[in-house]
Amino acid sequence: MFMSQSRKLKQQQNLMDTADSYELWREAAMAHDEISGAAAWKTTDQTRLYDHVQIRQRLDRLRSYRARQDNIGLLYTLNEGIHGNMGGMGKTALYNQAKFGTKRLVEDYVEEICNALNNIASLDDDQVSHEEKLDFFHRASHCYGRSALMLSGGGSLGHFHIGVLKALREQGLLPNVLSGASAGSVVGAIFGTHSERELDIFLHPRNLVSEAKEEASWFNRMLFGKKPQIDIHEAEEAINRMVPDITFQEAYDLTGRHINISIAPAELHQTSRLLNAITSPNVYVRSAVLASCAVPGVFPPVTLEAKNIHGEAQPYLPSRKWVDGSVSDDLPAKRLARMYGVNHYIGSLINPIVLFANESSQDNGRFSTLARQLGHKSAVECTRMMHNISQNYTKNWPRFNLFASMAYSVFHQKYNADINIFPDFRNIELRKILSHLTADELMMLVRQGERATWRRIEMIRTCSKISQTLDKILENYGEEDFRHTAKLQERVKAKTKTKKPAKSEGGSVSAVVKAIS
């Protein structure tokens, strides 16, 4: 019996590993859960991994208020707190017990929160005023926060990111906040500068294969040609083919996505930057991508370009040059939190250093994990020592000091997110990181990105469902505000015909509401 069950589990795992669509993967994953007993685990509330008692009580209370149409009680309960880790329900461990999904209680609670929010949004203004609802939804959205997708560096292996974004987009789960460094900046720029229709064309397998052939051609000319030094114009040619000639602000106006690109300084005593429509609206996305891909020692540093008031390109910070963004800020979580209110991060991790620096990455047993941790700690201590030497004893060696500073920065970064998406590195040829890829190799990386994402789809769906609901409600309110203001003006005019308007200070909204009440 045991061997039979083991064989069935292996069969379903093989189906998951070779699935060509999320639907096929999900079917195999759910079958795996039925065989392993994880399906039964999901239907019971109890586990030490989260506070199931608190979640059950809040779920029952919300359902009770909705059933009785007690909107005031519902609003009060929602005001008590809406956040993604209520009772520990956002822990990654809750999503590692089964291949598909997690505790039914968690999924039901999130669904009920969304239903309650939509219920409040649909109420007439005489039940809960428009201003009260709008204020509540703004506060709830601010408190709950939003998700961001961070794309690591990884050279040619960055095509893994295409599969990640493709899978998220197909499920309607692609966050509007994207960051990318080095190879991640290329993929982030592609998705942040093209319309949905253009992305459909780009992501067609035939076009991906065609792009692989183009890349193979220019990589061959660069790496195996007669020129001893890599020509930056070859890289520009590839980036110009994939990224349109627009600024960060124009990209946001076109797609509604906040794309962020990390760049690192090419000299000492400067700080890294995160380029986007807020910090650098007029900078060309192309030049930012080129700078973020300028691997030290492989590509020369890059000067940024921006559009001036006459619509012409001119140098941006002309005295500064920039290099590979992953050197200093591969996953810029703190900066995204400050600019966009992000508090939930999804990381697409293909940077080889993840093997050593991220405890969540795939390993081959305890010995492998221990060896990886020891290797990373040794590298950290080594780079710290080099950095200290460069600061105190080698001030006249600028190149060594710059190298020591970059190495220190690389190994002291945090390569982790709330939800980590990474490949099975045993199937990745790391030597290809700066090599050209064949069409088959490119499509293999894209498929690996998709399958790695499918394993996390339900976790991402559950963790982002409330924020997506709030975003849709506020988006609708943006349109309704115009209609609501027009109604208020009509009602004020009607009132003024029969009674003298109340005096108010400054004509505030509260004064207008008081006048018509």
Side-chain angles (χ1 to χ4, degrees):
M1 177 65 73
F2 175 77
M3 290 299 294
S4 176
Q5 183 185 30
S6 177
R7 191 178 298 112
K8 289 179 181 178
L9 289 173
K10 186 176 181 179
Q11 181 183 19
Q12 296 303 323
Q13 184 64 56
N14 288 337
L15 289 174
M16 293 163 60
D17 293 340
T18 58
D20 291 328
S21 69
Y22 179 64
E23 288 69 29
L24 292 174
W25 183 92
R26 179 179 59 190
E27 183 180 344
M30 294 176 72
H32 192 287
D33 287 344
E34 289 290 343
I35 299 168
S36 68
W41 175 85
K42 289 187 286 187
T43 61
T44 61
D45 293 355
Q46 293 78 11
T47 179
R48 294 181 179 180
L49 297 175
Y50 74 123
D51 189 348
H52 58 87
V53 175
Q54 181 190 25
I55 302 300
R56 173 58 68 182
Q57 289 175 346
R58 287 185 61 83
L59 175 59
D60 291 342
R61 197 188 316 166
L62 288 169
R63 284 175 170 172
S64 175
Y65 284 135
R66 279 218 308 141
R68 300 199 311 266
Q69 296 184 345
D70 184 351
N71 299 313
I72 301 301
L74 185 63
L75 190 59
Y76 183 84
T77 302
L78 290 172
N79 263 311
E80 287 180 342
I82 302 176
H83 60 82
N85 200 30
M86 176 69 70
M89 69 179 192
K91 292 180 179 177
T92 302
L94 271 174
Y95 296 83
N96 289 338
Q97 306 299 311
K99 297 294 183 181
F100 182 86
T102 185
K103 288 288 187 181
R104 187 73 52 79
L105 174 61
V106 172
E107 295 171 349
D108 289 346
Y109 177 69
V110 170
E111 183 68 24
E112 184 61 31
I113 289 285
C114 294
N115 290 337
L117 291 171
N118 286 320
N119 186 79
I120 295 295
S122 65
L123 294 176
D124 294 331
D125 289 352
D126 56 353
Q127 295 176 284
V128 179
S129 73
H130 181 86
E131 287 74 18
E132 286 177 324
K133 288 189 290 183
L134 190 58
D135 176 67
F136 164 71
F137 288 125
H138 275 299
R139 285 188 292 106
S141 179
H142 179 74
C143 293
Y144 191 86
R146 58 171 61 179
S147 298
L149 175 62
M150 303 183 295
L151 310 174
S152 75
S156 296
L157 305 180
H159 294 92
F160 173 85
H161 297 316
I162 295 177
V164 173
L165 272 77
K166 182 173 181 289
L168 291 174
R169 180 171 175 265
E170 288 174 350
Q171 295 299 314
L173 298 174
L174 183 60
N176 285 330
V177 178
L178 304 173
S179 78
S182 193
S185 72
V186 180
V187 179
I190 290 172
F191 279 76
T193 59
H194 290 85
S195 67
E196 296 300 320
R197 182 174 176 276
E198 289 170 336
L199 287 177
D200 287 336
I201 297 172
F202 172 80
L203 292 172
H204 192 282
R206 180 178 62 251
N207 295 324
L208 289 177
V209 170
S210 175
E211 180 59 35
K213 293 178 180 178
E214 288 281 354
E215 290 186 14
S217 173
W218 73 266
F219 259 119
N220 272 325
R221 293 197 302 272
M222 282 198 312
L223 298 179
F224 307 109
K226 296 180 180 180
K227 296 180 181 180
Q229 187 177 2
I230 294 175
D231 189 350
I232 190 64
H233 297 296
E234 300 280 4
E236 284 183 306
E237 179 185 334
I239 292 172
N240 291 346
R241 189 173 62 251
M242 294 182 285
V243 181
D245 190 25
I246 59 177
T247 66
F248 279 96
Q249 184 61 52
E250 292 167 343
Y252 174 73
D253 293 339
L254 174 66
T255 67
R257 293 196 176 101
H258 303 276
I259 52 174
N260 299 263
I261 294 178
S262 295
I263 57 174
E267 58 273 314
L268 290 170
H269 310 304
Q270 299 298 323
T271 58
S272 62
R273 292 202 173 201
L274 189 66
L275 305 175
N276 51 51
I278 298 174
T279 63
S280 49
N282 298 319
V283 170
Y284 284 100
V285 178
R286 279 180 178 176
S287 71
V289 172
L290 191 63
S292 191
C293 292
V295 180
V298 178
F299 290 100
V302 173
T303 300
L304 297 173
E305 287 191 340
K307 180 182 288 188
N308 61 23
I309 58 174
H310 304 294
E312 301 168 342
Q314 69 177 46
Y316 182 80
L317 299 173
S319 63
R320 302 290 177 220
K321 291 185 180 293
W322 308 91
V323 295
D324 191 338
S326 63
V327 167
S328 60
D329 213 359
D330 205 31
L331 306 176
K334 290 184 179 179
R335 289 175 171 175
L336 295 178
R338 185 172 67 250
M339 291 184 186
Y340 305 106
V342 172
N343 61 0
H344 183 256
Y345 302 92
I346 305 166
S348 178
L349 311 176
I350 192 63
N351 193 330
I353 199 172
V354 170
L355 275 170
F356 305 96
N358 191 340
E359 294 181 2
S360 301
S361 61
Q362 188 162 346
D363 56 63
N364 298 317
R366 291 184 179 180
F367 178 77
S368 175
T369 303
L370 180 61
R372 191 179 65 230
Q373 292 175 349
L374 288 175
H376 180 245
K377 288 182 178 179
S378 298
V380 168
E381 292 303 321
C382 182
T383 55
R384 179 183 286 116
M385 181 179 66
M386 288 175 56
H387 182 67
N388 290 337
I389 292 174
S390 70
Q391 293 292 307
N392 297 301
Y393 304 107
T394 61
K395 294 182 180 180
N396 295 326
W397 299 358
R399 289 193 176 184
F400 174 78
N401 295 343
L402 182 61
F403 171 78
S405 179
M406 287 183 175
Y408 177 80
S409 178
V410 166
F411 283 96
H412 281 72
Q413 292 183 52
K414 180 183 177 183
Y415 295 90
N416 209 350
D418 296 304
I419 301 177
N420 298 304
I421 302 174
F422 46 82
D424 184 347
F425 281 99
R426 293 170 295 185
N427 297 327
I428 298 289
E429 292 187 68
L430 296 181
R431 63 184 178 84
K432 292 283 188 178
I433 192 169
L434 286 176
S435 302
H436 76 275
L437 300 177
T438 66
D440 290 340
E441 289 171 334
L442 186 149
M443 293 307 297
M444 182 273 292
L445 275 170
V446 173
R447 181 60 74 191
Q448 282 217 34
E450 288 183 284
R451 289 174 182 149
T453 307
W454 294 340
R455 296 197 296 266
R456 295 299 189 186
I457 283 291
E458 292 310 307
M459 183 178 184
I460 296 170
R461 194 191 309 278
T462 301
C463 292
S464 62
K465 194 168 188 176
I466 294 174
S467 63
Q468 285 191 329
T469 300
L470 286 167
D471 286 346
K472 289 179 181 178
I473 290 173
L474 287 172
E475 184 179 349
N476 291 335
Y477 264 73
E479 300 173 359
E480 291 177 1
D481 277 344
F482 294 104
R483 295 193 294 268
H484 183 73
T485 301
K487 288 181 181 179
L488 277 177
Q489 292 173 345
E490 291 175 3
R491 291 166 65 183
V492 169
K493 289 179 181 179
K495 287 281 185 180
T496 55
K497 290 180 180 179
T498 57
K499 107 176 175 180
K500 187 177 180 180
K503 293 182 180 180
S504 62
E505 296 182 14
S508 64
V509 173
S510 60
V512 174
V513 173
K514 184 177 180 180
I516 64 176
S517 60

